[in-house]
Amino acid sequence: MSGSIYMATSGAEAQRIRLQILSNNLANINTAGFKEDRAVFRIPDEGLNPDADPGEEAGVSAPSYTDAIPLTTHTDYSRGPIQRTGNPLDAAIDGEGFFSVQTEQGIRYTRNGAFTINPDGNLSTHDGDPILGEGGEIAIDGADVRFDGSGNVIVDGAVTDKLRIVKITEPTALKKIGKTLFQLDENKGTEEPLEYGGVQQGFLEGSNVNAVKVMTELIEVQRGYESYQKMIQTMGEMASRVISGVGTTE
C-alpha cells in the first residue's frame, strides 16, 4: 500500500512540475525573444526524458510518470516567428546567435531585440542595460538610428558601431535569469563570433511558444494531476479502513 501511495505521489508531483512550467510558457506567449521550457525527467533505466513526448522518447506511456524523477528543465532555442513592428529601434536576428547585454553582474545574452535609449544616451534594453557593440556600449548621438543587415548601427548616416552578436558553442551552458536574459556557464560552453547573423530592423522575434499545443498539454496535465489526487485519496481511505479493522476486537 505504501509503495502504491509513493508512486501516485511521485506521479502527481511530476504533473505539478509540468503544470508550473507550461503555465509560465503560456504567460510569456507575447514576450519577444522568449524561449519555452520543457520539464526533463529521468525514467529509471531509460535516461533523460523531455516531457513533450514521454512515450516516444523513453519507450513508456504517460502513466509511467509515477516512476519519473524530476531533474531539471530543457530550453527550446528554436527561432520564434519574426514579426514586423515598424519601430526603428527594434531588431531581430535572422538566424542563430544572441545579442550581448552589459549588466551589473556581467555580460548576458538575449534574443529580445526590443531596444531603447537609456538616460546615458546608450542603446539599451527596456530595463536600461546597455546593448553591446564590438566597441563596447553603443552611444546614440543623433536622431536617425538604423541597423543594416550586417548589424551595423548607423546614426545620422554614419556607422557608429556594430551589434555584438555571438554564437554559444553549447546551448545547455546557458541559464535563464529572467527578463529574457541568459547567463553563460563558462565551464560548459563559450561564446564565439558569429560568421553570419543578419539583422532585420523594425522587426522582433516573437516567443517560440505554440499556444494551441501548450493549452492541450495543460488540459492533459490538469486531468492527470486530478487523477493522481483521487488515487492518493482512495488509497488513503483504504489504509484508514485497514488500520481501523486491525484495531477492532470482538
Side-chain angles (χ1 to χ4, degrees):
M1 180 68 74
S2 60
S4 298
I5 292 178
Y6 170 78
M7 292 176 64
T9 302
S10 177
E13 177 64 8
Q15 298 290 14
R16 186 194 67 79
I17 292 173
R18 289 186 69 201
L19 180 61
Q20 185 178 44
I21 293 172
L22 288 169
S23 297
N24 184 64
N25 288 340
L26 192 61
N28 285 281
I29 195 168
N30 293 317
T31 301
F34 179 81
K35 301 303 176 187
E36 75 168 346
D37 292 317
R38 313 293 296 180
V40 178
F41 299 89
R42 180 174 64 81
I43 306 298
D45 301 324
E46 295 290 352
L48 295 181
N49 174 35
D51 78 339
D53 299 291
E56 296 179 10
E57 294 286 343
V60 295
S61 58
S64 290
Y65 277 122
T66 56
D67 298 320
I69 302 172
L71 289 181
T72 183
T73 58
H74 163 76
T75 300
D76 176 7
Y77 290 99
S78 63
R79 193 176 74 169
I82 303 298
Q83 305 163 338
R84 178 187 292 275
T85 66
N87 185 338
L89 291 181
D90 287 345
I93 299 175
D94 184 13
E96 60 182 343
F98 294 84
F99 296 112
S100 303
V101 183
Q102 182 66 58
T103 71
E104 293 181 355
Q105 293 73 37
I107 296 178
R108 300 295 183 259
Y109 307 91
T110 187
R111 291 281 295 190
N112 186 349
F115 302 148
T116 187
I117 300 174
N118 66 18
D120 294 327
N122 297 323
L123 190 68
S124 71
T125 67
H126 278 268
D127 292 305
D129 293 322
I131 300 299
L132 292 177
E134 294 184 347
E137 297 182 12
I138 305 172
I140 305 297
D141 186 14
D144 182 30
V145 181
R146 298 182 183 275
F147 308 117
D148 69 12
S150 298
N152 290 310
V153 182
I154 304 168
V155 181
D156 290 344
V159 176
T160 297
D161 205 333
K162 184 176 183 179
L163 292 168
R164 184 177 186 269
I165 301 175
V166 301
K167 176 182 178 180
I168 305 301
T169 58
E170 178 51 62
T172 58
L174 291 174
K175 175 184 177 182
K176 283 187 176 183
I177 60 172
K179 299 179 180 179
T180 68
L181 294 178
F182 293 89
Q183 178 179 353
L184 174 65
D185 183 345
E186 296 181 350
N187 294 319
K188 297 180 179 179
T190 59
E191 66 167 50
E192 60 183 31
L194 194 63
E195 293 183 3
Y196 173 75
V199 173
Q200 297 185 54
Q201 182 182 25
F203 290 80
L204 284 178
E205 178 183 351
S207 166
N208 66 353
V209 175
N210 183 319
V212 174
K213 181 179 179 180
V214 172
M215 288 298 295
T216 301
E217 289 184 36
L218 277 171
I219 294 172
E220 170 201 330
V221 170
Q222 288 174 329
R223 289 176 176 171
Y225 184 70
E226 291 172 357
S227 296
Y228 285 124
Q229 282 185 313
K230 291 178 181 178
M231 289 172 60
I232 294 170
Q233 181 179 357
T234 299
M235 286 185 285
E237 292 173 350
M238 291 173 60
S240 295
R241 287 198 293 269
V242 170
I243 293 171
S244 298
V246 170
T248 302
T249 58
E250 296 183 358

